[in-house]
Amino acid sequence: DTEVTQTPKHLVMGMTNKKSLKCEQHMGHRAMYWYKQKAKKPPELMFVYSYEKLSINESVPSRFSPECPNSSLLNLHLHALQPEDSALYLCASSQVRQGAPLYFGPGTRLTVT
Amino acid sequence: AQSVTQLDSHVSVSEGTPVLLRCNYSSSYSPSLFWYVQHPNKGLQLLLKYTSAATLVKGINGFEAEFKKSETSFHLTKPSAHMSDAAEYFCVVSAPNNAGNMLTFGGGTRLMVKP
């Protein structure tokens, strides 16, 4: 099973709302990732968790707050977002070894109004 | 440091004709290379991967890629295009990192398939 699931598929939120994106994998992977993808662009890395610890934060604004409750789950908490944060948010997972591919979820399409 | 250049932002082929998507990379390490495909409003699906074994790599859906170190290339090919191949394709190089695998993406190539 190489499936990464993400919920919700679509999310519309106002600039004062608080919402969360969820990601789950059952492949036993110990690295999990959040990416942001704008239209017609490649994905941009936001965060990396390795063994449930935040290991990389690519200078992401604090209105995005990641959380890794256990080795299978990854959340992204959203608060006070801006319209320019509208994008496809992709979760991925991989083994923690050189050359291991990332497996991506289907993404959450976020619109900030 | 590493980088990936996809030489064509758009490629258009007729159904049943060969596909060639070009990718050149630069890496300080012995690279791991991947091709991913993304259909509209979908996530990225792994097509194939090169990790220093055979230089000709076979992937899903009839795609294959050849690693050429002397040319620093990793071009993606398919003998006969199908309508369902129309999508965005990303060439990706991976750098080792204790925190996980850090991917560098090419800019993407949009493949269009004409009936």
Side-chain angles (χ1 to χ4, degrees):
Chain A
D1 181 10
T2 56
E3 188 179 25
V4 177
T5 59
Q6 290 187 244
T7 56
K9 285 191 170 68
H10 301 275
L11 178 62
V12 179
M13 61 185 290
M15 289 190 284
T16 58
N17 291 158
K18 287 185 181 181
K19 297 285 185 184
S20 297
L21 309 185
K22 298 185 183 301
C23 173
E24 189 168 6
Q25 59 89 13
H26 294 288
M27 294 178 277
H29 292 167
R30 301 305 295 276
M32 295 187 77
Y33 310 74
W34 280 115
Y35 281 84
K36 174 183 178 180
Q37 187 180 27
K38 301 286 273 186
K40 302 187 189 302
K41 297 288 187 184
E44 299 172 0
L45 182 65
M46 300 175 73
F47 303 104
V48 181
Y49 273 83
S50 180
Y51 298 104
E52 296 86 69
K53 288 184 172 32
L54 182 65
S55 54
I56 294 176
N57 176 341
E58 292 286 299
S59 304
V60 178
S62 59
R63 57 185 184 269
F64 294 91
S65 175
E67 178 197 19
C68 190
N70 60 52
S71 61
S72 300
L73 293 174
L74 186 66
N75 298 322
L76 186 63
H77 303 297
L78 314 172
H79 173 55
L81 294 192
Q82 304 296 310
E84 59 265 28
D85 296 322
S86 298
L88 182 68
Y89 287 83
L90 295 163
C91 173
S93 70
S94 77
Q95 297 177 1
V96 184
R97 64 170 176 81
Q98 183 177 351
L102 271 63
Y103 293 91
F104 286 83
T108 294
R109 173 73 61 190
L110 174 67
T111 303
V112 181
T113 59
Chain B
Q2 53 192 26
S3 65
V4 180
T5 301
Q6 291 183 241
L7 297 163
D8 306 291
S9 59
H10 293 81
V11 170
S12 181
V13 301
S14 296
E15 190 174 22
T17 64
V19 176
L20 170 64
L21 304 184
R22 298 183 294 164
C23 172
N24 286 108
Y25 70 91
S26 170
S27 177
S28 305
Y29 309 93
S30 179
S32 295
L33 293 158
F34 309 93
W35 276 98
Y36 284 87
V37 61
Q38 186 175 32
H39 288 91
N41 297 311
K42 301 287 187 186
L44 280 73
Q45 181 183 18
L46 179 67
L47 272 180
L48 49 80
K49 59 182 178 181
Y50 167 78
T51 53
S52 76
T55 56
L56 183 61
V57 182
K58 293 189 183 301
I60 62 172
N61 300 335
F63 285 94
E64 62 182 38
E66 186 171 9
F67 174 72
K68 291 187 176 180
K69 186 175 181 179
S70 61
E71 299 177 9
T72 61
S73 69
F74 190 57
H75 301 335
L76 182 70
T77 61
K78 183 174 180 177
S80 176
H82 191 273
M83 295 297 291
S84 60
D85 294 327
E88 189 83 17
Y89 290 78
F90 292 101
C91 181
V92 180
V93 62
S94 171
N97 183 297
N98 291 335
N101 280 303
M102 304 304 294
L103 303 186
T104 298
F105 284 80
T109 297
R110 179 161 298 277
L111 175 65
M112 294 167 283
V113 182
K114 298 175 289 187

